[in-house]
Amino acid sequence: MYGIAVGKTGGTDILVGLTGEFDISALEELRGALDAAAYLRGPAVVDLSGITFLDLLCARELAVRSQIHAHKIRLRSPSRPVLDSARACGLEDWLLLAPGTGDREPPVISGAL
């Protein structure tokens, strides 16, 4: 059983809250929610703290969407199962989670223009 709730944060960001067990049965709805959040007017925050199980396909989907929509989606507060699944699949760097905070940091671009 899983849940996907879309609302607003205290500011102008869209909040996508994920709870429960995410396996292949949740994949299409997860993909649709992440795509919809990325195409809304403001940035989206995806709260991963309520996930109790994350299979390989859903971990991959989060990683891919966080890369594709890096300018629009920020992943926040991954639960231990999210971190464990990402690590087991070799995807922890793809999720763009900041060490210590669990929040997604934008990529750092260096060099002279």
Side-chain angles (χ1 to χ4, degrees):
M1 202 68 146
Y2 66 90
I4 300 174
V6 179
K8 288 253 187 198
T9 64
T12 59
D13 292 350
I14 302 298
L15 177 64
V16 179
L18 306 179
T19 57
E21 298 180 1
F22 281 80
D23 59 19
I24 193 165
S25 66
L27 185 59
E28 287 303 316
E29 192 172 347
L30 175 62
R31 183 177 291 139
L34 294 174
D35 282 344
Y39 292 111
L40 293 173
R41 186 177 300 212
V45 175
V46 180
D47 185 352
L48 307 174
S49 64
I51 294 178
T52 57
F53 174 79
L54 186 68
D55 77 356
L56 167 67
L57 293 174
C58 290
R60 181 185 171 280
E61 196 64 32
L62 282 172
V64 167
R65 299 295 172 193
S66 74
Q67 292 290 319
I68 292 172
H69 303 299
H71 62 293
K72 294 287 287 186
I73 292 178
R74 188 175 73 208
L75 301 178
R76 180 178 78 185
S77 305
S79 64
R80 176 58 49 195
V82 170
L83 294 174
D84 291 344
S85 291
R87 191 172 299 112
C89 301
L91 296 171
E92 64 268 31
D93 291 338
W94 282 71
L95 289 176
L96 302 175
L97 298 171
T101 65
D103 286 345
R104 189 197 159 286
E105 286 185 345
V108 176
I109 300 172
S110 61
L113 295 177

